[in-house]
Amino acid sequence: MVLYENNKEKYDSIPKEKFVQVQKDQEIHDVDFKTKPIGFFMDVWLRFVKNKASVIAAVIIFILSIFAIAGPSMSDYRYDEQHPELVNMPPKIPAIAKMNLGIFDGAYLLENRQYDNLSDPEKYPEGCVLEILNPRLVNGQRIVDVYVDYYKYMGLEDEDCYWLGSDYLGRDIWTRLWRGTRVSLLIAVISVCCNVFIGVIYGSISGYYGGKVDMVMMRITEIISAFPRIVVVTLFIMVAGTGMFSIIMSLVIKDWVDTARMVRAQFYRFKGREYVLAARTLGVPDMLLIFRHILPNSIGPIITSSMIAIPSAIFSESFLAYIGLGLQAPEPSLGVMLSRGQKVLLYFPSQLVFPAIVISLLMISFNLFGNGLRDAFDPTLRGAE
Amino acid sequence: MDKKEKILEIKDLCMDFQSGRKEKVRALNHVTLDIYKGENFGLVGESGCGKTTLGRTVIRLYNPTSGEILFNGKSISGKLTKSDRDYITSNLAMIFQDPISSLNPRMTVEEIISEGLKIRGMKDPAQCREVVNNLLNRVGLLPEHATRYPHEFSGGQRQRIGIARALAVKPSFIIADEPVSALDVSIQAQVINLLMDIKKEMDLTILFIAHNLAVVKYFSDRIGVMYFGTLVELADADELYDHPLHPYTKSLLSAIPLPDPLREKDKQRLYYDPAVHDYSTHQPRLQEVRPGHFVYASDPEVEQYRKELEQGK
């Protein structure tokens, strides 16, 4: 007003028709979007594929799973087929052996052999000698160490090769490795699924209702988590026996607590959100609130944490097998094979190396995959542990 | 406007929140007010004074500690049976403050708007879709927007989706909890005008909670001022702006920015100090100083306010 009064002449000299009233009874009507609708999971997918490391991890997991399914039937040997005459055989894959790369050629070091005998086809069949080392004279005898193709040395055909060697009972490591991977993955996936199932229900109820219900339910989880894990698991297996089921149950018996806590925290995070309040003012019943409004919003952390729980379940299973609480023989698992391989590490390192590579790949891949998923589900958490 | 018909009566409403083991925070302190059918009731006050708590208690997101709430003469305070809750949810609706967090990010617009309908037994998808499309048109959106997710919309659009959701259940009373305070100034008018139009069309009563006094004055027929859980003044909008009595109201009004920089520069801000009240001898209560104009004051103060009004004339 003051502004107007001070400059009255200036304002009044502007002709009236130059003033136009803006936004009077203007109907608001928005235009249609040009883009395609992007749903939540599409959005996650777009973010996920940007993360190269986790895509590679996902591919590795996929390949390992394929091998875990098809691997055992690719070899002619069965996982429990014993060949007492062919124990601790070195790995040989004929196609790779032909390339002379020095790997998978069934090479085995025979020490202190008489040089003269090497040409005797009775003792050393045609083409079995790969490399001669350390020629020396001992008591006038020409002594050498010699690398032989052990399969030819034993008089076996190429078709009978153990691709990854055999173990102390002459069982095919290839077959056992993939069957063990299958068993380990099954144990891990099933136990994590059970964890998530129990944990989501328990955590939802605890987190949604809060108050006294929450108080009692959380004290119960604290009691459960206060027992040392290894004691509980050991006792459980001793009571229930060493089957696949009891190993799964022993992993579930304590681990669901973590999932329950995580889900509860998610519920506390989301239940006060305005859209949940809005749904309550519309009269949405509790069950629908839990499963339609709160749970879908916490699905990201749940999927991520269960992905990260899988390698730790694999590891736990291996650990149990390692301390002798694993599956009943002859059923293989990665842990059983590792614990066997470790005993002969110095003489037959390949028996340890292959299961170790597979378990390492699984652990790294699942961790990377889980991290990628977490970043995709919730970009604000990028880089946080 | 028929002022006689009360749609909502709040009597002596108290709401305590537990803070810590023993301590309590009284968010609402014996609030008494009536809202008449068809009016816009504005509720103002500073942050944390209990405006939102009042709104949420009325729609029973919170359980009141004591007091009574009557809606169309039916009590909706105290323990609720399922039919009571249905009665509340189908007659009262709420519009929320934050357009971002008040829409579920995992649901499409259609799912959000039709949720209330589905709970009330509208099973036929085609019928639902038609209602949703009508509502979307009503709030200035397109039916094509129904399949979209909330994150694809702007703040004003989302707030309009929130309004459509509230309207879907055909309520007679809407609690608008700061519906425009999170919006851009240019969008505020758009949403307010939309609310006004819809109100006229659907014969609604609106409890409008805000802290922007200019918006409240534009929107409301009557205004209540709250201070720390207490309703300190209640009057017709013009009356309140022309003759504020309670020192807190005066202080609030003095804080309104003026669109004229020269006057704004000379403006005198008043600060409210609760110590000006002497309640040692006379207890304060909400008293009618002049018809329709209530002030929370003790008897001597009321005398003083009346004198003030006489002089003002």
Side-chain angles (χ1 to χ4, degrees):
Chain A
M1 289 303 274
V2 180
L3 207 63
Y4 172 71
E5 276 150 26
N6 292 351
N7 303 287
K8 213 168 178 166
E9 280 174 27
K10 219 161 97 191
Y11 285 127
D12 286 347
S13 63
I14 303 172
K16 266 232 166 77
E17 57 272 18
K18 281 214 166 179
F19 290 99
V20 182
Q21 218 162 17
V22 290
Q23 211 199 341
K24 194 195 164 202
D25 298 331
Q26 186 190 345
E27 275 279 310
I28 22 175
H29 260 290
D30 292 295
V31 289
D32 193 15
F33 292 135
K34 295 275 182 292
T35 51
K36 284 222 159 20
I38 290 185
F40 172 66
F41 285 101
M42 189 64 197
D43 204 26
V44 168
W45 171 250
L46 288 178
R47 273 199 296 269
F48 181 78
V49 292
K50 277 192 197 146
N51 189 339
K52 292 285 169 288
S54 33
V55 172
I56 293 170
V59 170
I60 292 176
I61 291 173
F62 180 73
I63 292 171
L64 287 177
S65 314
I66 293 288
F67 271 111
I69 293 165
S73 47
M74 286 159 78
S75 159
D76 293 335
Y77 296 98
R78 291 214 336 275
Y79 75 98
D80 55 353
E81 194 179 325
Q82 299 184 11
H83 291 278
E85 73 283 4
L86 296 173
V87 298
N88 295 329
M89 295 291 282
K92 181 183 179 186
I93 301 174
I96 296 179
K98 281 193 189 96
M99 289 188 256
N100 283 326
L101 295 173
I103 49 169
F104 295 112
D105 50 6
Y108 185 66
L109 183 65
L110 300 173
E111 286 175 322
N112 304 330
R113 300 290 152 146
Q114 290 193 358
Y115 183 75
D116 298 336
N117 290 346
L118 290 184
S119 48
D120 179 1
E122 290 274 308
K123 283 185 173 160
Y124 296 94
E126 173 95 34
C128 82
V129 177
L130 295 171
E131 198 178 357
I132 299 165
L133 300 168
N134 292 335
R136 55 197 184 274
L137 273 175
V138 179
N139 295 337
Q141 297 269 25
R142 285 197 292 175
I143 299 293
V144 291
D145 297 342
V146 61
Y147 268 114
V148 292
D149 180 338
Y150 207 62
Y151 292 88
K152 284 188 178 150
Y153 181 70
M154 301 285 285
L156 287 168
E157 298 296 321
D158 272 357
E159 291 84 60
D160 295 336
C161 287
Y162 292 111
W163 291 339
L164 300 181
S166 68
D167 68 0
Y168 71 110
L169 289 173
R171 295 177 297 197
D172 181 24
I173 288 185
W174 170 273
T175 314
R176 286 176 66 76
L177 178 67
W178 297 119
R179 193 177 167 92
T181 309
R182 180 200 290 176
V183 169
S184 289
L185 272 176
L186 266 183
I187 289 176
V189 170
I190 293 175
S191 73
V192 166
C193 285
C194 291
N195 283 344
V196 170
F197 184 72
I198 301 173
V200 162
I201 291 176
Y202 195 94
S204 316
I205 294 171
S206 175
Y208 181 76
Y209 290 103
K212 286 199 179 93
V213 179
D214 181 40
M215 167 86 180
V216 171
M217 290 177 88
M218 279 300 115
R219 292 302 84 75
I220 293 173
T221 63
E222 270 162 32
I223 290 169
I224 291 174
S225 65
F227 291 119
R229 179 193 168 105
I230 198 68
V231 174
V232 175
V233 170
T234 314
L235 285 176
F236 190 89
I237 289 181
M238 285 172 81
V239 172
T242 55
M244 190 144 151
F245 176 74
S246 70
I247 287 179
I248 290 173
M249 287 319 293
S250 72
L251 291 179
V252 172
I253 200 164
K254 248 174 87 69
D255 289 3
W256 66 267
V257 170
D258 298 333
T259 319
R261 284 193 182 145
M262 195 270 301
V263 173
R264 171 182 172 272
Q266 293 300 320
F267 267 70
Y268 264 79
R269 180 174 153 206
F270 288 113
K271 76 172 176 182
R273 289 284 164 99
E274 284 192 341
Y275 58 81
V276 178
L277 296 181
R280 278 172 66 191
T281 65
L282 290 173
V284 177
D286 284 355
M287 279 302 126
L288 220 56
L289 275 179
I290 291 178
F291 290 109
R292 193 150 167 65
H293 286 271
I294 306 179
L295 207 53
N297 282 291
S298 37
I299 199 83
I302 292 173
I303 290 181
T304 306
S305 76
S306 45
M307 273 303 151
I308 290 175
I310 285 178
S312 82
I314 293 174
F315 198 76
S316 302
E317 186 276 324
S318 307
F319 176 73
L320 284 177
Y322 202 80
I323 62 171
L325 294 171
L327 290 168
Q328 204 83 54
E331 192 65 56
S333 80
L334 288 175
V336 171
M337 296 182 74
L338 282 172
S339 119
R340 255 303 137 193
Q342 182 257 346
K343 292 196 173 73
V344 291
L345 172 62
L346 286 179
Y347 313 105
F348 311 106
S350 66
Q351 294 189 21
L352 181 72
V353 166
F354 296 119
I357 288 174
V358 170
I359 199 169
S360 309
L361 274 178
L362 275 179
M363 308 261 301
I364 292 174
S365 305
F366 269 109
N367 274 317
L368 283 175
F369 183 59
N371 281 346
L373 274 185
R374 184 198 56 201
D375 292 346
F377 275 118
D378 191 351
T380 57
L381 281 181
R382 192 174 307 252
E385 276 313 312
Chain B
M1 189 189 310
D2 182 19
K3 280 225 160 192
K4 292 288 157 258
E5 200 183 338
K6 294 174 182 172
I7 187 164
L8 184 80
E9 296 166 68
I10 300 172
K11 291 178 183 162
D12 248 349
L13 191 69
C14 289
M15 179 71 218
D16 292 342
F17 288 108
Q18 202 81 26
S19 92
R21 201 166 273 268
K22 290 246 169 73
E23 270 162 48
K24 279 180 180 168
V25 175
R26 175 146 285 193
L28 295 178
N29 189 7
H30 299 284
V31 173
T32 301
L33 61 90
D34 297 330
I35 296 176
Y36 299 104
K37 198 165 173 38
E39 76 172 342
N40 289 335
F41 188 92
L43 197 59
V44 291
E46 64 195 38
S47 300
C49 72
K51 309 179 297 273
T52 299
T53 308
L54 181 66
R56 289 186 178 179
T57 312
V58 167
I59 204 164
R60 291 307 304 275
L61 282 173
Y62 300 146
N63 295 325
T65 311
S66 67
E68 205 178 358
I69 308 168
L70 299 175
F71 185 78
N72 277 335
K74 184 175 156 56
S75 171
I76 54 170
S77 50
K79 268 218 175 306
L80 297 176
T81 62
K82 198 170 177 310
S83 66
D84 287 341
R85 204 164 266 291
D86 286 347
Y87 179 74
I88 296 175
T89 54
S90 50
N91 280 294
L92 281 77
M94 193 156 182
I95 298 167
F96 286 85
Q97 174 178 7
D98 185 352
I100 293 165
S101 78
S102 65
L103 304 177
N104 189 339
R106 300 284 185 274
M107 290 163 84
T108 61
V109 170
E110 184 179 4
E111 288 168 332
I112 289 171
I113 296 176
S114 64
E115 184 160 42
L117 300 171
K118 283 184 181 140
I119 287 160
R120 273 162 197 79
M122 193 184 279
K123 291 280 185 285
D124 181 21
Q127 200 184 353
C128 260
R129 173 139 268 224
E130 199 190 313
V131 175
V132 169
N133 287 350
N134 286 340
L135 282 167
L136 282 176
N137 272 327
R138 187 61 206 83
V139 298
L141 292 164
L142 297 174
E144 286 79 31
H145 288 143
T147 53
R148 300 294 178 140
Y149 287 87
H151 68 94
E152 300 176 66
F153 293 91
S154 71
Q157 289 174 319
R158 288 192 216 189
Q159 197 59 290
R160 284 185 268 139
I161 295 169
I163 292 172
R165 168 177 61 190
L167 296 175
V169 295
K170 293 204 167 59
S172 52
F173 188 90
I174 284 189
I175 299 164
D177 184 5
E178 310 204 20
V180 294
S181 35
L183 300 180
D184 203 280
V185 180
S186 60
I187 307 293
Q188 286 190 2
Q190 193 192 51
V191 171
I192 291 276
N193 288 337
L194 176 69
L195 265 180
M196 295 269 245
D197 292 347
I198 287 170
K199 185 207 160 221
K200 268 182 224 143
E201 223 170 87
M202 300 181 64
D203 193 22
L204 296 169
T205 311
I206 298 184
L207 169 60
F208 189 85
I209 300 169
H211 51 235
N212 184 336
L213 289 156
V215 170
V216 170
K217 180 168 191 249
Y218 175 66
F219 192 77
S220 312
D221 304 318
R222 289 196 306 145
I223 296 175
V225 181
M226 281 186 78
Y227 180 73
F228 273 88
T230 312
L231 193 68
V232 293
E233 192 161 358
L234 170 66
D236 284 356
D238 294 334
E239 168 82 8
L240 189 89
Y241 276 76
D242 296 342
H243 307 291
L245 291 178
H246 197 276
Y248 179 66
T249 314
K250 288 177 182 165
S251 141
L252 265 188
L253 291 179
S254 80
I256 301 177
L258 302 170
D260 182 339
L262 297 174
R263 282 211 299 171
E264 173 73 19
K265 222 159 111 186
D266 301 335
K267 194 180 70 178
Q268 275 256 301
R269 274 290 321 263
L270 300 173
Y271 292 95
Y272 174 56
D273 178 11
V276 298
H277 304 290
D278 178 17
Y279 292 145
S280 54
T281 50
H282 298 271
Q283 280 301 308
R285 62 202 155 84
L286 202 61
Q287 308 199 45
E288 197 161 14
V289 178
R290 127 193 324 198
H293 192 158
F294 297 83
V295 181
Y296 183 76
S298 58
D299 295 339
E301 278 181 324
V302 170
E303 289 305 312
Q304 190 199 326
Y305 289 152
R306 285 207 173 112
K307 251 181 240 165
E308 236 176 81
L309 281 176
E310 296 282 312
Q311 284 162 2
K313 270 181 185 170

